[in-house]
Amino acid sequence: MTSPHSHYDLIVIGTGPGGASLAHRLAASGKRILILERGQYLRREEANWSPQAVFVEGRYQARESWVDREGHRFAPQLHYCVGGNSKVYGAALLRLRERDFGEVRHHGGLSPAWPLTSADFAPWYDEAEALFHVHGLRGDDPLDPGTTPYPFPPVQHEPKIAELSERLRAQGLNPFHLPLGILLDQQADGFATPTSTCMRCSYFDGFPCLLNGKADAQVVCIDPMLRDHANVTLLTGAYVERLETDATGRRVSEVVVRRNGGEERFSAGTVVVACGALSSALLLLRSASDRHPRGLANGSDQVGRNYMRHEMSVVMAVMKEVNDTVFQKTLALGDFYFGSDDWEHPLGLIQMCATSHADQIKGEAPLPGLMKHLPEMPFDELARHSMDFWLQAEDLPDPDNRVYYRDGQVHLDVRPTNAEALRRLKAKLEQVLSAIGWPAVLVERSLYLGKDIPLSGTAHQAGTCRFGTDPATSVLDLDCRAHEVDNLYVTDASFFPSIGAVNPTLTLIANALRVADRLKDRL
């Protein structure tokens, strides 16, 4: 039996952007809220800014072994800590394009329409940008559907990126300031003010922020909420083993937690799952029971299916000139998002990513090919001459791209759905950089070292519990409540029916705030 002291009005499982934003929104209600996080606070230490520790050694990643569709084991790049994957995200917070909410035909197949429109999310997009301190310039991005000014001015380009922007515009393209969630106060020259939390360092994209200058879920939601609201409780090291239902199977009756080596049980009138698309699906699957034999809320057999994560690649262009940019992640290019002059299908988004460090190149680059082209250039010189881009094309939903358990082992089956779009986007970037006249090393030849993000890369996970109006083809209703369980909601990116080609975090935050407003009456 559950003791009275373990009953709450609301239990939120997961402290990433989806769970933290919803809890933050409801904290002022005065209701008793319990937040469960399987990890601990990520340790603040010098290694936060070590490329060797973060990227090569994977110091902050989960120590787990999963199995891919060929039966090979791999380590998923998940981060079990307060704030979730947002502790190491790049904080690029863009809205889905208006057309992304409709049906879009790609070379790889069809991206389905959402049951809601961009206008339906607009008020909560505004709120999400305010909550996560988004710095941007409204109107700068031709495809941005937003109309309300950003709450903070854009992060200014450093000289080399400003020159890149000018050269792109001279080619008739439309580069724009990348909207970033960042706790940055800028001087007129773009440098951080003496009291700014962020100091515009090169350890932003992919690193935990040692200064807490990144607008992650811990910094902007969890910590302020715990400081200001005594009705909110956070338990760390609390792994939710399963959700149990009452005799009808229509209500979650108990949340079973493994903590400090023992079992603890909690109950609530409303339970919100927000563990990330992969972990949320796995929690529902391991909560199978007589009433839900295929997994909790899985009568449709859709839980875990339609996993999406973008077709992604990091591209390092090794230029002849030195690139002395420190904070490089300030520019994006969407001109080829829905197509190009030589291809009718959508390609995707090009954006800058963090400056490469020598240890990253040494640990991640395809060394044989690298040494063949640049045998005399040491890794630190490669880093000084590199300009770094993140490319992403839309990943299309496929029911066979899925996460599931077999014999107690996690399996993740994924095959590329839209690889030709990413290949052409890479070619387009090469073409654009050549057109703007930036010479590269080795006899005026541009060298592009590309590394597709492997299966283990889970930064943009989405789609495993999609929402819709038909319980036979979706897991959640339009309020992200499970069709089959009256008091169960899911508010991470699991609900996405498609993913577009922009980073998904702002949309999942906006949706979490939208669902929180729906829950106010229920609570």
Side-chain angles (χ1 to χ4, degrees):
M1 289 291 292
T2 303
S3 70
H5 298 292
S6 61
H7 184 79
Y8 293 82
D9 297 300
L10 171 68
I11 292 176
V12 179
I13 305 169
T15 58
S21 301
L22 177 136
H24 183 274
R25 182 76 156 197
L26 295 172
S29 67
K31 300 296 184 181
R32 297 187 71 226
I33 300 174
L34 174 65
I35 305 173
L36 299 170
E37 168 57 52
R38 70 185 297 175
Q40 305 289 344
Y41 273 86
L42 190 145
R43 187 189 300 274
R44 295 181 70 186
E45 56 185 355
E46 289 185 9
N48 288 174
W49 285 353
S50 164
Q52 175 71 25
V54 173
F55 291 101
V56 181
E57 298 170 6
R59 182 180 182 90
Y60 304 110
Q61 295 173 15
R63 303 301 180 193
E64 293 189 2
S65 176
W66 292 9
V67 180
D68 67 17
R69 64 196 299 261
E70 281 81 36
H72 302 135
R73 292 189 174 274
F74 69 95
Q77 295 173 9
L78 297 170
H79 297 82
Y80 299 146
C81 57
V82 177
N85 277 359
S86 74
K87 290 302 296 179
V88 297
Y89 78 153
L93 297 175
L94 303 97
R95 301 184 185 209
L96 280 172
R97 320 287 81 173
E98 190 168 0
R99 281 178 58 189
D100 283 331
F101 288 91
E103 187 176 276
V104 180
R105 185 163 295 280
H106 292 260
H107 178 268
L110 197 65
S111 177
W114 287 44
L116 298 176
T117 68
S118 177
D120 292 323
F121 284 90
W124 293 282
Y125 268 135
D126 291 342
E127 303 253 3
E129 288 168 348
L131 178 61
F132 275 72
H133 297 251
V134 179
H135 291 57
L137 180 62
R138 194 70 75 201
D140 199 24
D141 171 9
L143 293 178
D144 174 24
T147 56
T148 304
Y150 280 105
F152 297 94
V155 180
Q156 294 186 40
H157 299 317
E158 292 184 35
K160 199 70 177 177
I161 306 305
E163 182 184 355
L164 171 63
S165 181
E166 291 168 4
R167 288 177 178 245
L168 292 173
R169 288 195 182 279
Q171 294 291 318
L173 299 172
N174 297 280
F176 60 92
H177 288 84
L178 185 62
L180 292 176
I182 188 169
L183 279 67
L184 171 67
D185 297 322
Q186 299 176 98
Q187 300 178 145
D189 58 7
F191 285 98
T193 66
T195 58
S196 173
T197 306
C198 171
M199 65 179 190
R200 290 187 62 124
C201 70
S202 62
Y203 304 105
F204 184 80
D205 196 0
F207 293 88
C209 181
L210 185 58
L211 302 181
N212 286 335
K214 184 187 299 186
D216 63 50
Q218 174 213 320
V219 170
V220 302
C221 293
I222 296 294
D223 291 349
M225 176 171 45
L226 294 177
R227 179 194 64 212
D228 297 336
H229 299 284
N231 55 301
V232 179
T233 300
L234 169 66
L235 293 184
T236 58
Y239 171 70
V240 179
E241 206 164 58
R242 66 187 182 277
L243 305 177
E244 295 184 350
T245 63
D246 63 12
T248 69
R250 294 292 306 183
R251 291 184 61 81
V252 174
S253 57
E254 290 192 311
V255 177
V256 183
V257 173
R258 183 66 54 182
R259 183 167 174 261
N260 296 328
E263 181 184 285
E264 300 177 12
R265 290 174 174 257
F266 304 94
S267 65
T270 302
V271 175
V272 174
V273 174
C275 313
L278 292 168
S279 294
S280 288
L282 291 173
L283 171 57
L284 298 184
L285 290 172
R286 66 176 176 266
S287 299
S289 65
D290 290 342
R291 291 285 184 178
H292 298 273
R294 290 194 287 195
L296 187 60
N298 195 28
S300 62
D301 192 30
Q302 293 298 303
V303 171
R305 295 186 181 275
N306 299 294
Y307 171 63
M308 299 170 288
R309 55 165 211 141
H310 285 136
E311 305 281 358
M312 298 180 287
S313 182
V314 174
V315 176
M316 182 175 71
V318 183
M319 317 298 291
K320 186 173 183 179
E321 298 178 9
V322 170
N323 176 20
D324 55 4
T325 306
V326 176
F327 193 97
Q328 187 170 253
K329 192 184 177 80
T330 58
L331 179 143
L333 186 67
D335 290 76
F336 314 117
Y337 194 93
F338 287 115
S340 62
D341 55 0
D342 56 358
W343 209 47
E344 61 179 323
H345 299 292
L347 276 75
L349 181 71
I350 298 170
Q351 58 184 292
M352 308 302 298
C353 62
T355 303
S356 287
H357 295 83
D359 285 344
Q360 287 174 264
I361 299 171
K362 182 178 180 180
E364 298 181 7
L367 293 179
L370 179 62
M371 294 298 97
K372 175 183 176 182
H373 292 291
L374 296 170
E376 305 298 327
M377 185 174 272
F379 292 115
D380 57 349
E381 280 299 296
L382 277 172
R384 291 181 66 237
H385 286 266
S386 72
M387 183 166 279
D388 309 275
F389 299 88
W390 181 286
L391 282 64
Q392 55 195 40
E394 180 160 0
D395 187 13
L396 304 175
D398 181 336
D400 291 330
N401 283 353
R402 57 186 292 230
V403 63
Y404 60 97
Y405 284 104
R406 179 188 293 163
D407 299 327
Q409 176 70 55
V410 177
H411 288 250
L412 183 59
D413 292 354
V414 175
R415 66 170 184 83
T417 61
N418 203 22
E420 180 64 15
L422 181 62
R423 188 190 70 78
R424 287 178 177 264
L425 190 61
K426 290 180 189 177
K428 189 62 69 174
L429 173 63
E430 183 174 359
Q431 175 186 325
V432 164
L433 291 180
S434 297
I436 65 175
W438 277 6
V441 294
L442 295 181
V443 195
E444 305 294 331
R445 178 173 179 266
S446 296
L447 176 63
Y448 298 89
L449 303 175
K451 183 175 182 182
D452 289 351
I453 305 298
L455 175 65
S456 58
T458 55
H460 294 184
Q461 54 182 289
T464 58
C465 300
R466 57 184 178 178
F467 78 158
T469 56
D470 184 357
T473 58
S474 60
V475 178
L476 310 170
D477 69 13
L478 299 193
D479 290 337
C480 290
R481 181 181 64 83
H483 288 300
E484 300 170 15
V485 186
D486 295 333
N487 66 336
L488 175 64
Y489 293 76
V490 181
T491 60
D492 49 37
S494 301
F495 84 98
F496 280 41
S498 68
I499 197 173
V502 297
N503 308 45
T505 305
L506 187 72
T507 300
L508 77 87
I509 295 167
N511 182 65
L513 297 176
R514 182 183 72 90
V515 174
D517 285 348
R518 299 287 191 270
L519 285 177
K520 284 180 179 178
D521 291 339
R522 177 170 191 143
L523 291 176

